[in-house]
Amino acid sequence: SDFVEIWGKIMMTGFRLNLSPLKEPLGFVKLVEWVTIFAFGSCGGFSGRNIVSLVCGDGKNETLNATFHYPFRLSQVRLVDGNTTLCNHSVTTTHLMGDSSSSAEFFVGVAVICFLYSMVALLVYLGYMHVYKDSDFGPMFDFVVTAALAILWLVCSSAWAKGLQNVKDATDTDGIGATLALCKGSNVTCEVTEFASMRTLNISVLFGYLNMFVWAGNAWFVYKETRWHSQKYSSQPGPARQQVPAPI
């Protein structure tokens, strides 16, 4: 098979360091793709806390902490522990509403896969480019994987953008008010007075869409290395050649 043939060439020829691919779009873009580390780093390491202030009817104030973090399983985050008295009301165990773990973990998973693949591909470009260009399998496999990952970036970034909005909605004043029964139909006013900074989460979404464009551009440069591209241009008719009269 093509894979066995390529593996045999790699074992015979060995690693040949060549930095010239970094001067070409094919290798340079692969280096740029390392920015994926910022995408999953800014999302996977997040932890924040919102402070909820309760103004009781008798003028007394109560404070609650809503602490949440990756992977944002908000339904497992306790807002109130059981048998707690707030504003002279007994409140049962209350959790935040919502679960954005699937979209967050999908986003981080795609980012990790892309980061690892870009490292492996760059290693091949710098050390085994002679094998890469000597076969049809290498560029074609690289193109299919790169194009698929570009599509995954679009899908996971869109899913995570929606998941992040759900996190914001569940932890703002309206979300807390809908979660905490004490805030409904009583003389208790609930308001989030201190919000966790979600700047890094917003940045992660931006990096997600940025990576989609970077990987799509990279797919084009990889496509130009495949035989599909070369066959396309070799099959196009060239300019008509003039008939040169035979010498007398």
Side-chain angles (χ1 to χ4, degrees):
S1 64
D2 293 337
F3 178 77
V4 175
E5 181 182 353
I6 292 175
W7 181 254
K9 290 180 180 180
I10 291 176
M11 296 302 293
M12 288 188 297
T13 58
F15 184 85
R16 299 178 186 175
L17 181 61
N18 181 13
L19 299 180
S20 59
L22 292 178
K23 302 177 183 178
E24 302 174 1
L26 181 67
F28 179 75
V29 176
K30 268 289 183 289
L31 190 62
V32 173
E33 287 173 353
W34 281 20
V35 299
T36 54
I37 192 174
F38 296 107
F40 66 80
S42 55
C43 175
F46 178 84
S47 179
R49 182 183 66 175
N50 284 7
I51 297 180
V52 184
S53 296
L54 282 66
V55 180
C56 307
D58 57 1
K60 181 181 178 182
N61 293 334
E62 301 278 2
T63 301
L64 297 175
N65 293 325
T67 303
F68 51 97
H69 53 79
Y70 175 86
F72 307 103
R73 292 188 177 91
L74 300 182
S75 58
Q76 298 180 6
V77 176
R78 284 191 178 186
L79 180 62
V80 180
D81 290 328
N83 300 322
T84 300
T85 301
L86 295 173
C87 297
N88 298 321
H89 293 78
S90 179
V91 181
T92 59
T93 301
T94 305
H95 296 81
L96 296 177
M97 293 192 302
D99 188 345
S100 298
S101 61
S102 58
S103 59
E105 290 174 339
F106 179 38
F107 180 80
V108 172
V110 170
V112 171
I113 292 173
C114 289
F115 179 69
L116 295 177
Y117 182 76
S118 64
M119 291 181 63
V120 173
L122 194 60
L123 176 65
V124 172
Y125 292 170
L126 299 182
Y128 300 99
M129 183 59 79
H130 55 289
V131 179
Y132 179 88
K133 290 192 173 183
D134 193 37
S135 66
D136 293 329
F137 177 78
M140 292 170 64
F141 176 82
D142 193 14
F143 169 72
V144 171
V145 174
T146 302
L149 291 177
I151 296 173
L152 280 177
W153 269 121
L154 174 61
V155 175
C156 75
S157 298
S158 300
W160 170 228
K162 180 63 170 63
L164 176 56
Q165 186 59 50
N166 292 340
V167 172
K168 293 179 179 180
D169 292 340
T171 56
D172 64 7
T173 297
D174 292 337
I176 297 296
T179 301
L180 195 58
L182 184 65
C183 305
K184 305 174 185 177
S186 65
N187 58 348
V188 178
T189 303
C190 304
E191 182 181 2
V192 177
T193 55
E194 184 175 329
F195 290 87
S197 175
M198 296 190 184
R199 182 180 304 173
T200 57
L201 298 182
N202 295 329
I203 291 175
S204 69
V205 174
L206 293 177
F207 268 114
Y209 286 112
L210 173 63
N211 278 305
M212 184 265 295
F213 287 109
V214 172
W215 281 80
N218 186 215
W220 164 247
F221 292 116
V222 176
Y223 171 73
K224 294 174 67 175
E225 300 293 329
T226 65
R227 68 180 179 184
W228 299 322
H229 182 267
S230 58
Q231 287 176 351
K232 176 182 177 181
Y233 282 90
S234 62
S235 62
Q236 293 180 354
R241 297 181 180 178
Q242 295 181 351
Q243 295 291 334
V244 179
I248 301 176

